[in-house]
Amino acid sequence: MPHRFTARVAIVTGGASGIGLAISRQFAQEGACVEILDRNPVEMERAVAAIHAAGGDAVATECDVTDATAVEQVIAAIHTRRGRVHILINNAGIAHVGNALTTTPEDFERVQRVNVFGPANCLRSTLKHMVADGGGVILNMASCVSVMAIPDRFAYATSKGAVLSMTYAVAKDFLAHKIRCNALLPGRVHTPFVDGFIAKNYPGREAEMFEKLSLAQPIGRMAEPEEIAHAALFLCSDEASFITGLGMPVDGGTLTIR
């Protein structure tokens, strides 16, 4: 169904790179007015230019999602300029490698501020407009580690478990306001972060480790960012109008057939 989001305003946090960029581009292709919130001006400029070149509508605003006041101001400005916010995609997040002994208090707090406080700030600022305007759709980026364990992801898993619980809470609390809230639980996705992680931790063994990480998923490979974006398109579309409070795995079978 082409152009299923014509004239709908979609905010995508962390929308200038990786999974967020794939989401921004595909939503724009479907007719959405995409509002990217990110912190990297170079990547933001590239993302907007690429969307415009493809005939889409996109604006990027520099915003630190951990700053509640800044988020409030940016989302209010988007609402004023666009007249409505139909979709919020809480995608911005950071990763961390370490267990409960090797993760410093500072690193633990940093991950929670971005991955938990960030979505909460965006939810708080967007929900009040959606309530006043008669509804909307929210999609949070959780993870397989929201509900399973992998080694050395103490802070990250904690944050993504919170994101999934946050999803359930919002879906319950705002059901009567015609607001749907779901989450995606991706497995390992081939993004620049993965390439950087391998290069940093396994110099000279990049190809070997890439294959090992790929084969750790039952389907035998990592996801491409566009595959996560396709799932986002569905959950935010009218085709998913009867779906709310769902944590949807996009994981190559990791949670069910590993």
Side-chain angles (χ1 to χ4, degrees):
M1 294 178 63
H3 309 303
R4 71 187 84 176
F5 296 114
T6 297
R8 298 190 190 182
V9 178
I11 295 175
V12 185
T13 71
S17 64
I19 295 171
L21 176 58
I23 290 172
S24 296
R25 296 181 71 161
Q26 291 197 18
F27 271 69
Q29 289 172 11
E30 292 280 358
C33 308
V34 177
E35 294 281 346
I36 295 171
L37 305 189
D38 210 293
R39 295 193 65 186
N40 188 314
V42 174
E43 290 181 343
M44 290 160 61
E45 184 177 351
R46 289 174 181 166
V48 169
I51 291 171
H52 287 173
D57 179 357
V59 175
T61 304
E62 191 168 351
C63 182
D64 179 356
V65 295
T66 70
D67 185 335
T69 300
V71 170
E72 176 79 18
Q73 293 172 347
V74 167
I75 291 179
I78 291 170
H79 187 270
T80 298
R81 175 161 42 82
R82 297 287 195 178
R84 183 81 185 263
V85 175
H86 299 87
I87 300 165
L88 168 66
I89 301 174
N90 273 317
N91 169 76
I94 59 174
H96 182 267
V97 177
N99 61 34
L101 293 178
T102 61
T103 300
T104 67
E106 293 76 17
D107 282 340
F108 187 85
E109 180 177 352
R110 177 175 59 87
V111 173
Q112 308 318 310
R113 289 195 61 80
V114 176
N115 292 2
V116 182
F117 282 70
N121 290 336
C122 294
L123 283 166
R124 190 182 307 110
S125 299
T126 305
L127 276 167
K128 66 179 184 180
H129 296 297
M130 289 183 171
V131 168
D133 294 336
V137 180
I138 295 167
L139 181 65
N140 295 324
M141 198 61 66
S143 169
C144 282
V145 300
S146 299
V147 293
M148 65 171 283
I150 62 174
D152 294 321
R153 295 296 189 276
F154 175 65
Y156 182 72
T158 299
S159 71
K160 290 303 183 178
V163 169
L164 184 57
S165 294
M166 190 184 301
T167 300
Y168 296 149
V170 171
K172 179 69 173 180
D173 290 341
F174 293 90
L175 189 62
H177 296 283
K178 299 181 180 179
I179 296 170
R180 295 191 298 109
C181 184
N182 295 296
L184 288 179
L185 280 62
R188 187 169 285 119
V189 183
H190 185 201
T191 64
F193 169 80
V194 171
D195 292 335
F197 171 80
I198 293 174
K200 177 181 177 182
N201 293 279
Y202 305 98
R205 300 173 56 202
E206 287 86 353
E208 172 195 346
M209 291 308 301
F210 185 86
E211 182 179 12
K212 182 177 180 179
L213 292 174
S214 297
L215 293 176
Q217 297 178 124
I219 206 168
R221 64 175 177 86
M222 298 186 198
E224 293 299 325
E226 290 75 17
E227 293 175 301
I228 310 304
H230 285 308
L233 284 171
F234 170 67
L235 285 180
C236 292
S237 73
D238 292 341
E239 296 162 273
S241 59
F242 202 61
I243 300 174
T244 192
L246 172 69
M248 176 180 172
V250 189
D251 66 350
T254 299
L255 289 177
T256 54
I257 58 174
R258 53 183 300 134

